[in-house]
């Protein structure tokens, strides 16, 4: 399977569908991530814990790939991420409202699996939407 298809499938299976039983199909045991404001933990357990936490906060979390660029062992992805805020996030009570934000991610693959991932998520947009919704409800 090509690196492009591995990344597309990981976005769909793990992140959009939430099938955490398949984390090891897409990520290496020694996986490492570098994202400001997001704790990925380490290895497969860290990915599973992060994905599980996201599902509590945004049960219908979905990633849409808007652009994908491949080189030898690197894949760059521009995503639109959507979900409904139904779980507490950093002290912000659930609003029940849909949120949407962008993410840029660079992934490195080794032997058909993602071994490194780094990127930036537009957390400002997420917090802005959640705070505005919670103010409307007050």
């Amino acid at each position: 399977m090509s690196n492009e298809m591995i990344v597309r499938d990981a976005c769909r299976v793990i992140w959009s569908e939430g099938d955490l039983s398949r984390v090891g199909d897409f990520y290496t045991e020694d996986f490492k991530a570098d994202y400001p404001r997001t704790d990925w933990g380490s290895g497969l357990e860290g990915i599973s814990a992060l994905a599980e936490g996201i599902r509590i906060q945004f049960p219908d979390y979905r990633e849409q790939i808007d652009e994908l660029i491949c080189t030898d062992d690197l894949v760059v992805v521009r995503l639109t991420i959507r979900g409904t805020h139904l779980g507490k996030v950093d002290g912000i009570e659930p609003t029940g409202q849909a949120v949407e934000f962008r993410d840029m991610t660079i992934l490195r693959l080794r032997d058909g699996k993602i071994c490194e991932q780094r990127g930036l998520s537009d957390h400002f947009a997420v917090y802005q939407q959640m705070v505005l919704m919670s103010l409307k409800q007050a």
Side-chain angles (χ1 to χ4, degrees):
M1 187 178 326
S2 71
N3 286 347
E4 175 181 352
M5 287 311 302
I6 292 164
V7 170
R8 286 185 184 279
D9 284 353
C11 283
R12 179 181 51 79
V13 172
I14 303 303
W15 301 104
S16 291
E17 295 174 0
D19 185 354
L20 304 184
S21 70
R22 298 204 42 213
V23 167
D25 294 349
F26 299 101
Y27 293 89
T28 62
E29 291 280 339
D30 62 344
F31 171 82
K32 293 181 180 151
D34 178 16
Y35 279 77
R37 296 202 34 82
T38 303
D39 181 6
W40 284 68
S42 61
L44 301 178
E45 296 80 22
I47 296 166
S48 294
L50 175 63
E52 188 175 309
I54 288 170
R55 288 269 168 226
I56 292 168
Q57 297 167 337
F58 303 95
D60 59 346
Y61 178 95
R62 297 285 181 269
E63 295 184 349
Q64 172 186 312
I65 296 175
D66 298 320
E67 190 171 2
L68 187 145
I69 301 166
C70 292
T71 65
D72 294 329
D73 64 340
L74 293 176
V75 177
V76 179
V77 183
R78 182 173 57 88
L79 301 164
T80 298
I81 298 173
R82 296 177 179 90
T84 306
H85 180 213
L86 297 178
K88 195 172 188 175
V89 178
D90 291 342
I92 301 172
E93 293 295 330
T95 62
Q97 299 296 313
V99 298
E100 177 179 306
F101 64 100
R102 293 182 180 174
D103 178 276
M104 291 292 298
T105 299
I106 303 168
L107 306 102
R108 181 177 305 280
L109 286 88
R110 181 181 69 230
D111 300 325
K113 292 187 180 186
I114 302 163
C115 61
E116 295 176 18
Q117 187 166 329
R118 58 192 179 278
L120 292 169
S121 297
D122 187 358
H123 288 281
F124 179 75
V126 176
Y127 290 111
Q128 184 179 36
Q129 291 170 63
M130 290 186 304
V131 169
L132 287 175
M133 296 303 168
S134 63
L135 292 174
K136 285 182 182 179
Q137 293 176 353

